[in-house]
Amino acid sequence: MANVQAGVPPTEKALEAERAGARPRSDLSRQRLRSAWLFLAPMILVLTLVAGWPLVKTIWFSLTDASLSDLEGAKFVGLRNYYEYVDYGDGEGEYFGLLFDPQWWNAVWNTVYYSVISVTIETILGLAFALVLNAEFKGRSVVRAAVLIPWAIPTIVSAKMWAWMMNDQFGILNDMLMSIGILSSPVAWTADPDTAMWAVIIVDVWKTTPFMALLILAGLQMVPGDVYEAAKIDGIHPVKVFWKVTLPLIRPAILVAVIFRALDALRVFDLIYVLTPNNTQTKSMSVFAQENLFQFDKFAYGSAASTLLFLVIAFITLFYIKVARLDLGGRGK
Amino acid sequence: MPYVVKRTGFYALVVFIVLFSVFPFYYAILTSLKSGTALFRVNYLPVDFSLANYTSVLTNGVFPTNILNSVIVAVVVVAISLFLAVTAAYALSRINFAGRGLLLLTILAVSMFPQIAVLAGLFEMVRAAGVYNTLFSLIFAYMIFTLPFTVWVLTTFMRDLPVEIEEAAIVDGASPFTIVMRVFLPLMWPALVTTGLLAFIAAWNEFLFALTFVSNNSTRTVPVAIALLSGASEQEIPWGTIMAASVIVTVPLIVLVLIFQRKIISGLTAGGVKG
């Protein structure tokens, strides 16, 4: 045994010990460990400066009376931006603050509604696209390329493109729907309170279904072909194969795609800001926060909204990871 | 079901997918080539061919400067994040140290940060550092989404490379920095191109920070410039010009995406974690 051990080159032993998670013993391991932290330091510093510190600052501002013109003079006011009871005397009083602001709850509702509906449609449509793209056919690579186009287009550009297509007087969407008889009169898609949210959802579905499809497609391509052959030999109906074999196998890929999309949807800003400006039917949490921060000069209040949004998203993420039992540890060899 | 019906149905679906994906952009190009009152007639096929909208957007105002700003910001952001990410990814993928898993998880968490959550704090930093209304503010702020993403993808890529490639260099006494630069970098070009391209697209398309940290017309990047293009009055939205500007900033992206199609798909799916 001792001879065999001696035959192993020292580097390999050190690397192995390292990989096994053993405490570094050799100089080499120690040197590598030192350089690891040296290599990581710049990245950690940048991320702290650009993410960690600003997050702490935002939370701090939410506990102050900061205004856009006077950030330095901000004074601590406790939770007043979130919750405040003003006593008028005689047992009468009123609640103020974000938690009692109907406009905030309207924004929360809009965001959740938008996220649930658009992510659901995108998942179903993305799955359908992925199944088509997974089949062998002539021109498949062309179709794959075409599918990437909506994803590559900047959100602002797609919002403008669709705003024009949805224009009430000159838009091609009304023209199409009227010529095939679905609509009898033109609809002001982005301005009408009844359709504004659907306008946003339509554009979002158009833009992000390809992304969904590609993530699911990657999952589909990992399903070994002999599974299908076995099912075919056993004479099982393709629909049953899909539900009983394909879907369970690509479930992890779908769950990951859904969480990524949902996190994106919950922080939606660009699309709503540009497609339906100043519309209470579509105002999202991010738009609400941005408006208060920079347009209404309620910096502290906007910070409170930003903080709550962060907490909501963090909570949903943790809950989802727990429920879906995702392995996000990134632990591999 | 007879084979022919099945096949036709399948191809109908394929045609639908292609039309669904391509039509809006096709229609934007079509609109951008119209001028005058032709704009207000709905056409499905090209009828006009006028470059008036393009000459107007490229000669009037500051749109060319906006394009230049976007190019500068995106290129610098990509360069800095790739440089920081390559060394960090080496440490995260090839060296085992205490707290590695936690660090990876933190990086992943930062990549999911809602931008609005750091907006107030970043705004204060940007103002305090005196870079408000300059491109530096955007270059700095964009690190929040390009850096975690590039680190994550490059770590996944480096982890899959075999141990043997490093061993010879270690035996020869090469320092870790030399190993990264001489051994890994030459092997990593495909991954660098992919992540660089994805980071470029993300920086090119960003809107919220660009809207908040820059208020000067000639310092703006293209997404904000397009969002704020307006006519003489509320009723006169210059759709032709907006579409021309949109086509100008989108065509380079689409060309890049089509050239690097395969690499992008692999990069996107590597960015998504393995479930």
Side-chain angles (χ1 to χ4, degrees), chain B residues 196-249:
Chain B
L197 196 63
L198 292 176
F200 183 92
I201 292 177
W204 182 269
N205 295 354
E206 203 281 336
F207 181 69
L208 179 58
F209 289 158
L211 178 74
T212 311
F213 300 151
V214 172
S215 64
N216 194 339
N217 267 337
S218 59
T219 321
R220 289 206 162 102
T221 53
V222 280
V224 184
I226 289 178
L228 299 181
L229 269 183
S230 55
S233 77
E234 196 74 3
Q235 271 64 48
E236 283 175 66
I237 302 172
W239 288 110
T241 335
I242 292 177
M243 290 304 133
S246 300
V247 171
I248 292 172
V249 305

Side-chain angles (χ1 to χ4, degrees), chain A residues 18-19 32 35 57-58 68 151-152 154 164 170 172 175-176 206 218 263 267 270 294 309 327 330 333, chain B residues 20 27 31 40 44 90 94-96 112-113 116-117 121 124 127 159 163 166 176 205 212 239 253 269:
Chain A
E18 220 182 80
R19 233 165 280 125
R32 282 169 68 83
S35 42
K57 269 306 225 185
T58 303
L68 199 52
W151 170 82
W164 171 234
F170 317 112
I172 195 167
D175 186 78
M176 262 184 217
W206 175 76
L263 289 176
R267 58 191 176 192
D270 317 13
F294 298 106
L309 168 70
D327 175 20
K333 280 159 228 151
Chain B
F20 173 87
Y27 192 64
T31 306
F40 304 113
Y44 291 82
Y90 173 76
R94 314 295 294 195
I95 303 175
N96 210 342
M112 293 176 180
F113 257 38
I116 195 89
E124 194 219 7
R127 274 228 308 220
R159 204 163 48 197
V163 199
E166 244 182 306
N205 295 354
T212 311
W239 288 110
L253 288 191
T269 43

